[in-house]
Amino acid sequence: MPVRVAEISAPSQVSGTISRHTSPPACTLLSVGQAFSGTQNVSSIQKEEAWRVNVRIQGCDLEHGYLCGTMEALNVPMADTPIVVTFWEGEIVDTKNYTFFTGKWDASPEDDKRHWTKFPSFLPLLSQVEIDGGKSLDLSNCPYIFMRWKEQYFVNVGTDCGLTIAGFYYVCFSCSDGSINGFYYDPNSRFEVAALSTQRCCNICSLV
Amino acid sequence: MPSATVNNHRPRELLSLLASADPEIKVRALREVKNQIIGNRTKKLSFLKIGAVPAVSGILADSVDNVIDSNCNNDNINNILVQSAAALGSFACGFDAGVHAVVDAGAFPNLFRLLGSSNEKVVDAGARALRMIYQSKLAPKYDFLQQKNMEFLISLLNSNNENVNGLGASIITHSCETSLEQKALFDAGILRKLNGLLEGGSLSQRDASLESLATIFKNNPEIISKFSGPEIGRPLSSVIDLAKDRYPRTRLLACMCLIVIRNTSPLFLQDIGIKTKLIHILLELLDDSGQVGDEAPFAFSSLIAQKEDLQELALEANAIDKLLHHLQKGSLHPRRYEGILLALADMCSKMESCRSKFLSLQVLNLVTDALTDDSADVRTAACICLKSVTRSIKNLSAGYFMDEVIVIPLVRLFLDPSTSVQVAALGAVSNIVVDFTTRKSIFVQCGGMKQLVQLAKSMESAVRSNALWALKNFVFLSDNRLKESVFSELTACLLASLICDPEPSVQEQALALVRNLIDGCINSIEFAFAEDGLILAAIGRQLQSASKAEIGIQGMYALCNVASGNEFHKEAVMHQLFPLMDDKNQSFMMKFLQSNDSQLRAATVWAILNLTCPLSPGASGRLEKLRNAGIFSQMKNMVNDPCVDVKLRVRTVLGQSMAFGNN
């Protein structure tokens, strides 16, 4: 796997420096520079659509449960331009900085549970999450990292491009193979389900 | 009536008057020297150049024997002693060259002898002069571990004379450095004496005591716990009370003492109330227009540095606004300017909320202005401040910092005469060049890239390693065109020699740079093979003798990236891992796999993963070789590695090896 390093002179940039032992493990596949490619499926009563997405991680601060990056959407049907790029910021559910309960963005604990349970890997954690949002969970050996990604702004188009970034994604990342799955939540959205599914891009032949 | 000609003599005239045999003329000349040099650095220098200090010191030496005669009531002698001591003290006051001259002239022991005089004015003059000398780092070190020295120190602290016991405290502040010395002072009961000065002394005695206590406490939790124990009264509360004293200098010194206590023994002073109070007191002390205000930001930095909880409290106390407000005043004393910039750097070092606050005020120009200040310390502090602020990934992503206004003055500092400025500028640039908006052309156009390459050849290892760090970040995720321009400027030969640099930190950064150069499209792997594989060979050599884990990590990831290429690339990596035909020699890979460092284990497993990709034709041969070297047995021991990342990669490797029907 080609790996890159950009060490911004910040102690928080280094992976594996989490102080509390119950936080999710650091993962080389989820680090600055890693790229992912896949599809976003959008369905409504009338139709289903899909378009390609490319995701790039630009920042990763495990100590503060923070992640950020860009998402490129290619050939989005309702968009004016062929490529729409957004910048997003993520919250890593590490039980220290963030729990499974969002606590904002118009997402209630019921909304949270409804979305997290769409991920099979979440089901073993459900009972504890129902008690305390997962605060007392030990995620240090969990091979999945759960996150919320919220798009902050459009990078290359205006806000009148026909797309919305009002909602956010519930995301599950697999530390084993670097695959990402996500479900979009926007209480005002006319779409019932929006699923994001990506595999990590790589230039080598060993991992596909 | 005072003579109209007093203070009108030129230095050389005064020098000859000092040599007069007439004691009254001598005394007048001494007094005039002292009056001319007080608070006047230029005059001090002029007198220094003509040998005034040895002359005055000689006068002191000639008269000091009379101190032994305790019945000496000769006014002339006493006046000479007082005025010569005062002049020497003035030479030394705030002027290191003066301290140097006084010590070199042999006056130091004679000044101590004055303390034995029965004449109070002589004792005072001696003590004051010595206190001024002990304010300087150049004062001779006092050896507390010698019994008679400790006894003498105790006698000073026991004295009723304020200058004399103040001298005792100054000596402690100046010379107490090691834990052995701290313990010796504690065992001699010095803390109790200092506490006595703290509680019952004058302003000067309290201040001197606060400074001494901080020195004895520094990095010594055992002594702090004893000081805070019940047997010494309630001294900690005395210090806390003094933090609210009406005199600014006392407040500052008390805060500094509390900060030393807190930094040494974090269990103390945990109360959020005291933390908030300290922050508020120090921010308020910034308003002092004198030396206290100059030093306050440094104390503030030592309170909050590396501590997010305190940075958060300081943010709530509007520390960033207040610091910037002072920065905006302009015409700051260099010490204060430096202190405020460093305090802002510490505030923005860890938390995005602080950086966001700073950037929201849109006063980055206040920091970039400081990049061209006359003082090297100010320029360094400005760079360090920019380094902290540019840790904002959100703003880096938006390309906010890749701006001529910021980049050009920083690149100019690459040629600064001060090494610390160069290194600090490199630190800030290292962040700024991590630019995701592909606007790096600004940096290239102003010659930044070429200068980085030049700095990679510097005689100073700190400059070399920081220049390589900046280059590493510069080529991160860059297109091949940019990488080629860097590589052709750097050359394979230079990069290979930097990989084998005598300094481990340089080796590490050079390897990381290679890792970033090679990453990306398959063409970029060719960088490792330039000039007959100079770089690849250097990587292999360095990994054989890696002196620290970080070197192994970067080297293995560089090899991992090469191994992501075609068959030729993978075989070339195998040749580096197993340079000898005899597989039985333990490769450094085994050592890395057994390392305590999880990142090193992970990097090594990633390289193996790429080498044994089932889809490549030669994979089975490489697998065999790795198996024969015991690598696979080692990996089987790692299926439950305590590091999840390593565990998952090991399982992937073992899983893909099953494609070859072997276990």
Side-chain angles (χ1 to χ4, degrees):
Chain A
M1 180 203 82
V3 287
R4 315 156 193 87
V5 61
E7 291 175 60
I8 295 173
S9 61
S12 53
Q13 188 74 2
V14 177
S15 65
T17 56
I18 309 163
S19 52
R20 192 173 150 197
H21 297 299
T22 57
S23 298
C27 180
T28 37
L29 293 173
L30 188 71
S31 53
V32 177
Q34 292 301 342
F36 305 81
S37 184
T39 50
Q40 173 147 312
N41 298 298
V42 178
S43 60
S44 66
I45 294 167
Q46 291 98 6
K47 59 184 172 178
E48 288 200 6
E49 287 164 335
W51 55 82
R52 283 210 62 81
V53 290
N54 295 322
V55 173
R56 168 91 69 192
I57 309 291
Q58 292 186 345
C60 184
D61 178 358
L62 296 176
E63 181 66 25
H64 296 103
Y66 175 83
L67 206 66
C68 69
T70 54
M71 196 181 308
E72 278 181 356
L74 279 59
N75 300 317
V76 181
M78 56 285 255
D80 302 331
T81 52
I83 301 178
V84 177
V85 184
T86 54
F87 175 82
W88 55 267
E89 291 182 301
E91 299 177 345
I92 300 171
V93 177
D94 56 11
T95 71
K96 178 181 79 159
N97 295 289
Y98 302 104
T99 69
F100 284 95
F101 289 154
T102 307
K104 52 181 177 275
W105 303 330
D106 291 326
S108 67
E110 287 311 313
D111 294 320
D112 292 330
K113 278 185 282 189
R114 192 172 74 250
H115 284 85
W116 291 124
T117 47
K118 291 182 197 219
F119 301 113
S121 50
F122 173 77
L123 294 173
L125 312 176
L126 175 61
S127 55
Q128 191 59 47
V129 171
E130 279 182 321
I131 296 169
D132 62 3
K135 254 188 289 216
S136 42
L137 278 170
D138 180 356
L139 299 174
S140 58
N141 284 308
C142 185
Y144 298 93
I145 296 177
F146 298 94
M147 298 175 271
R148 284 178 287 271
W149 290 2
K150 173 94 177 91
E151 290 163 295
Q152 298 296 326
Y153 55 81
F154 291 101
V155 173
N156 67 329
V157 298
T159 49
D160 55 354
C161 63
L163 299 177
T164 174
I165 56 170
F168 66 96
Y169 291 91
Y170 292 87
V171 175
C172 176
F173 169 84
S174 164
C175 301
S176 304
D177 61 8
S179 60
I180 297 177
N181 287 288
F183 294 96
Y184 190 69
Y185 171 70
D186 177 1
N188 302 314
S189 173
R190 56 194 167 95
F191 300 109
E192 286 179 357
V193 169
L196 170 71
S197 175
T198 66
Q199 293 292 326
R200 199 181 53 78
C201 296
C202 56
N203 294 328
I204 59 161
C205 55
S206 61
L207 290 179
V208 177
Chain B
M1 188 181 103
S3 162
T5 60
V6 165
N7 289 345
N8 278 350
H9 291 102
R10 289 198 295 273
R12 284 201 187 277
E13 287 169 346
L14 279 173
L15 204 59
S16 49
L17 288 173
L18 285 174
S20 167
D22 184 339
E24 286 189 16
I25 294 174
K26 210 190 279 282
V27 167
R28 276 206 297 273
L30 283 168
R31 194 179 280 122
E32 194 179 331
V33 166
K34 181 195 71 181
N35 290 342
Q36 284 198 26
I37 66 174
I38 280 183
N40 191 325
R41 196 185 167 85
T42 312
K43 278 280 174 135
K44 286 182 192 181
L45 204 51
S46 319
F47 277 97
L48 223 65
K49 281 181 181 164
I50 60 169
V53 170
V56 174
S57 181
I59 293 170
L60 176 68
D62 290 342
S63 306
V64 78
D65 284 336
N66 294 291
V67 172
I68 297 166
D69 180 359
S70 56
N71 291 322
C72 173
N73 285 320
N74 185 322
D75 279 350
N76 279 335
I77 302 281
N78 286 331
N79 285 338
I80 284 173
L81 292 174
V82 167
Q83 293 305 325
S84 56
L88 290 170
S90 291
F91 270 115
C93 186
F95 187 51
D96 275 351
V99 171
H100 202 269
V102 168
V103 171
D104 269 358
F108 202 63
N110 288 329
L111 287 169
F112 268 106
R113 290 176 69 186
L114 297 184
L115 304 181
S117 169
S118 57
N119 185 295
E120 201 62 21
K121 284 186 179 162
V122 169
V123 169
D124 254 351
R128 270 204 298 269
L130 285 164
R131 282 186 83 175
M132 287 181 212
I133 293 169
Y134 271 110
Q135 278 170 13
S136 164
K137 286 190 179 57
L138 296 184
K141 182 165 165 63
Y142 194 87
D143 186 358
F144 301 105
L145 302 178
Q146 295 236 20
Q147 178 69 18
K148 63 180 172 69
N149 284 356
M150 187 64 83
E151 286 167 2
F152 183 69
L153 180 70
I154 292 171
S155 72
L156 294 179
L157 289 170
N158 282 338
S159 169
N160 291 326
N161 183 308
E162 194 171 304
N163 279 313
V164 172
N165 58 48
L167 171 62
S170 298
I171 289 173
I172 294 170
T173 303
H174 171 270
S175 292
C176 176
E177 287 168 341
T178 67
S179 56
L180 215 57
E181 288 166 333
Q182 289 169 332
K183 184 173 188 311
L185 288 165
F186 175 79
D187 289 343
I190 298 290
L191 280 195
R192 200 181 290 275
K193 294 190 190 306
L194 290 174
N195 186 49
L197 294 177
L198 201 63
E199 296 190 333
S202 67
L203 168 65
S204 157
Q205 287 170 328
R206 287 200 302 270
D207 285 356
S209 174
L210 283 168
E211 282 189 285
S212 303
L213 285 169
T215 309
I216 298 175
F217 291 154
K218 195 170 180 183
N219 299 325
N220 199 318
E222 200 188 320
I223 288 187
I224 290 175
S225 66
K226 288 181 180 159
F227 179 72
S228 317
E231 63 272 13
I232 307 188
R234 295 171 58 242
L236 196 55
S237 344
S238 306
V239 181
I240 293 172
D241 287 341
L242 287 173
K244 292 171 264 175
D245 193 83
R246 60 193 178 113
Y247 291 102
R249 186 157 192 268
T250 305
R251 292 201 296 278
L252 177 68
L253 292 172
C255 285
M256 287 165 72
C257 190
L258 290 171
I259 292 166
V260 163
I261 290 172
R262 196 174 185 281
N263 287 349
T264 302
S265 294
L267 293 175
F268 285 96
L269 305 170
Q270 272 305 319
D271 173 55
I272 197 168
I274 186 73
K275 289 194 272 192
T276 309
K277 265 202 195 69
L278 282 170
I279 289 168
H280 280 283
I281 293 167
L282 289 169
L283 289 175
E284 179 253 333
L285 283 171
L286 289 174
D287 293 331
D288 180 275
S289 55
Q291 206 186 7
V292 169
D294 294 348
E295 294 301 321
F298 290 94
F300 179 82
S301 278
S302 66
L303 175 64
I304 65 157
Q306 304 300 318
K307 298 183 210 73
E308 283 191 32
D309 58 330
L310 282 156
Q311 287 163 19
E312 193 141 5
L313 286 174
L315 181 66
E316 286 165 22
N318 293 325
I320 292 177
D321 305 72
K322 288 176 182 165
L323 288 164
L324 285 170
H325 167 71
H326 284 281
L327 210 55
Q328 268 164 335
K329 284 182 181 172
S331 302
L332 296 170
H333 186 276
R335 179 82 177 152
R336 186 184 294 243
Y337 204 177
E338 181 197 357
I340 292 175
L341 287 165
L342 289 175
L344 283 165
D346 280 315
M347 278 298 295
C348 296
S349 60
K350 282 174 142 334
M351 292 166 59
E352 183 62 22
S353 50
C354 292
R355 294 189 278 262
S356 291
K357 174 68 179 176
F358 177 92
L359 291 168
S360 72
L361 295 169
Q362 301 196 314
V363 287
L364 200 55
N365 59 299
L366 292 176
V367 181
T368 53
D369 285 348
L371 293 173
T372 50
D373 193 81
D374 290 337
S375 158
D377 289 335
V378 170
R379 297 196 297 279
T380 302
C383 292
I384 293 171
C385 186
L386 281 174
K387 183 175 80 169
S388 278
V389 171
T390 55
R391 286 174 181 169
S392 172
I393 301 165
K394 197 159 53 172
N395 286 285
L396 274 173
S397 296
Y400 182 75
F401 302 112
M402 191 55 89
D403 188 306
E404 282 179 0
V405 170
I406 301 171
V407 171
I408 290 178
L410 274 173
V411 170
R412 278 205 195 108
L413 292 180
F414 287 172
L415 297 174
D416 197 280
S418 157
T419 304
S420 64
V421 175
Q422 287 181 324
V423 169
L426 284 167
V429 163
S430 290
N431 286 352
I432 291 170
V433 293
V434 179
D435 178 71
F436 296 95
T437 61
T438 65
R439 278 171 45 208
K440 299 187 185 190
S441 54
I442 294 174
F443 185 69
V444 174
Q445 276 157 22
C446 71
M449 187 269 282
K450 285 186 196 261
Q451 295 225 41
L452 284 180
V453 173
Q454 286 310 306
L455 290 174
K457 303 177 204 168
S458 166
M459 297 291 288
E460 299 279 348
S461 63
V463 173
R464 291 199 301 281
S465 70
N466 280 280
L468 286 168
W469 188 315
L471 281 167
K472 167 188 79 181
N473 282 5
F474 183 60
V475 302
F476 173 71
L477 294 185
S478 290
D479 59 50
N480 226 46
R481 194 176 45 87
L482 197 112
K483 287 181 181 177
E484 272 167 10
S485 65
V486 170
F487 193 75
S488 72
E489 192 71 30
L490 201 51
T491 74
C493 187
L494 174 62
L495 193 43
S497 74
L498 289 167
I499 289 169
C500 300
D501 191 275
E503 283 298 319
S505 59
V506 177
Q507 296 166 18
E508 182 191 343
Q509 296 306 323
L511 286 165
L513 169 56
V514 171
R515 172 186 173 181
N516 278 11
L517 274 171
I518 293 172
D519 166 60
C521 69
I522 199 164
N523 291 341
S524 54
I525 296 178
E526 294 307 318
F527 289 128
F529 292 89
E531 311 266 347
D532 282 333
L534 260 183
I535 288 173
L536 196 61
I539 296 172
R541 256 195 328 272
Q542 207 47 258
L543 286 175
Q544 296 280 353
S545 58
S547 58
K548 56 177 188 164
E550 289 80 359
I551 293 169
I553 291 166
Q554 299 307 330
M556 284 312 300
Y557 273 127
L559 288 184
C560 166
N561 285 0
V562 176
S564 74
N566 58 32
E567 271 301 300
F568 172 76
H569 300 140
K570 292 179 201 292
E571 285 302 315
V573 169
M574 288 298 284
H575 182 70
Q576 293 304 323
L577 297 175
F578 301 100
L580 301 171
M581 293 304 291
D582 183 357
D583 294 339
K584 293 192 182 64
N585 280 333
Q586 200 190 64
S587 164
F588 54 79
M589 288 181 71
M590 187 64 88
K591 197 173 67 164
F592 290 172
L593 287 171
Q594 293 168 341
S595 165
N596 287 333
D597 190 303
S598 62
Q599 289 187 59
L600 180 53
R601 298 198 302 277
T604 310
V605 177
W606 270 114
I608 297 169
L609 214 155
N610 280 6
L611 289 168
T612 57
C613 162
L615 297 178
S616 50
S620 61
R622 289 188 286 276
L623 199 63
E624 193 62 28
K625 200 157 190 172
L626 289 165
R627 189 170 286 116
N628 288 342
I631 299 293
F632 265 75
S633 305
Q634 170 61 31
M635 299 242 301
K636 281 176 190 163
N637 294 336
M638 294 165 72
V639 289
N640 290 312
D641 193 281
C643 172
V644 173
D645 197 34
V646 174
K647 178 173 79 177
L648 292 172
R649 287 339 123 210
V650 164
R651 291 183 183 192
T652 305
V653 170
L654 293 175
Q656 75 184 17
S657 76
M658 291 178 55
F660 298 100
N662 292 308
N663 229 332

